[in-house]
């Protein structure tokens, strides 16, 4: 069984086919509930309405393009005035406020990251260890993470790796020794507080 179309173009095409069929086969369809002439009038009314919508859409599209062009011209004029005002007032905030503008904002200084959290070592093997952790909840934006270790009983931490993500795999580690690993978040402003330590023998 055929399905009635949903697309307007397909509906319009089917209407033409129905008219042609009614005109060509009055013996098969002698008394349709809507005559071929009535269907033709309804099709003509729809076509006029559809054509009107197309014309209006074209007009709207043109109006939108004109609006964008005029907005660009307005924006360019405003920016030129504001650049001029910034130069003649040397970015004086009080003077620029007369134009609804403002001086340069003082740059905010970057803070060191906060403490790296929840260091774990879910996998390890002979001479290697996989570490993962969570980023700090506070402090400045993290640029990288520094992985450190110390031998159990020693106070000296040494850098053994760097990571950009919140995980790292360290290979070629000394075997048979007991180490403590930790992770420190770093950026240009400095280092954050080290994470918790995890104990491992590789």
């Amino acid at each position: 069984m055929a399905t009635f179309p949903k697309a307007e173009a397909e509906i319009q095409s089917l209407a033409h086919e129905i008219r042609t069929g009614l005109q060509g086969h009055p013996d098969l369809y002698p008394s349709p509930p809507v005559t071929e002439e009535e269907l033709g009038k309804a099709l003509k009314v729809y076509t006029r309405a559809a054509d009107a919508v197309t014309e209006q859409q074209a007009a709207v599209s043109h109006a939108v393009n004109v609006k964008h062009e005029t907005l660009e011209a307005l924006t360019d004029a405003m920016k030129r005035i504001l650049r001029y005002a910034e130069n003649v007032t040397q970015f004086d905030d009080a003077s620029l406020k007369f134009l609804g503008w403002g001086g340069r904002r003082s740059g905010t200084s970057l803070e060191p990251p906060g403490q790296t959290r929840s260091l774990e070592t879910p996998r390890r093997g002979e001479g290697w260890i996989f570490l993962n952790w969570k980023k700090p909840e506070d402090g400045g934006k993290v640029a990288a993470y520094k992985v450190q270790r110390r031998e159990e009983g020693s106070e000296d931490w040494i850098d053994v790796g760097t990571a950009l993500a919140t995980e790292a795999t360290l290979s070629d580690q000394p075997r048979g020794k007991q180490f403590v690993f930790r992770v420190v978040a770093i950026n240009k402003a400095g280092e954050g507080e080290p994470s918790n330590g995890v104990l491992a023998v590789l």
Side-chain angles (χ1 to χ4, degrees):
M1 182 176 176
T3 303
F4 195 85
K6 294 182 179 180
E8 289 189 28
E10 294 178 0
I11 293 173
Q12 189 176 17
S13 176
L14 180 58
H16 284 293
E17 289 188 46
I18 291 173
R19 286 192 67 198
T20 301
L22 292 176
Q23 289 172 343
H25 302 280
D27 52 328
L28 281 176
Y29 311 106
S31 303
V34 178
T35 66
E36 180 273 325
E37 291 82 4
E38 291 171 331
L39 181 62
K41 289 178 181 178
L43 179 59
K44 188 176 294 185
V45 170
Y46 161 76
T47 302
R48 284 200 299 264
D51 290 344
V53 168
T54 301
E55 291 176 4
Q56 291 176 12
Q57 287 175 335
V60 169
S61 177
H62 175 71
V64 169
N65 290 336
V66 171
K67 185 194 76 168
H68 288 162
E69 292 173 1
T70 56
L71 179 60
E72 186 175 346
L74 173 63
T75 301
D76 180 65
M78 293 166 63
K79 287 182 177 180
R80 290 173 62 190
I81 293 172
L82 292 175
R83 283 195 296 268
Y84 160 78
E86 287 173 342
N87 289 330
V88 297
T89 64
Q90 298 182 345
F91 294 90
D92 180 64
D93 190 67
S95 300
L96 291 171
K97 284 190 185 308
F98 291 122
L99 301 180
W101 199 235
R104 287 178 176 167
R105 296 178 181 176
S106 57
T108 56
S109 58
L110 180 65
E111 297 180 359
Q115 182 181 19
T116 304
R117 302 175 296 124
S118 304
L119 175 63
E120 296 178 345
T121 170
R123 298 189 300 277
R124 68 186 77 169
E126 195 170 337
W128 68 272
I129 185 170
F130 172 79
L131 303 163
N132 61 16
W133 56 90
K134 294 181 179 179
K135 65 181 182 180
E137 290 184 328
D138 53 12
K141 185 177 180 181
V142 177
Y145 294 93
K146 181 166 57 176
V147 184
Q148 298 180 320
R149 76 162 193 241
R150 67 173 173 83
E151 197 167 346
E152 179 69 4
S154 171
E155 297 297 325
D156 299 327
W157 291 93
I158 62 171
D159 298 340
V160 291
T162 303
L164 299 179
T166 55
E167 61 181 42
T169 299
L170 304 177
S171 55
D172 299 325
Q173 300 297 300
R175 303 175 186 179
K177 293 185 178 181
Q178 199 168 44
F179 290 110
V180 180
F181 292 88
R182 73 180 187 183
V183 176
V184 180
I186 58 176
N187 63 21
K188 289 183 178 180
E191 299 182 356
E193 186 176 345
S195 69
N196 59 291
V198 292
L199 189 64
V201 178
L202 308 181

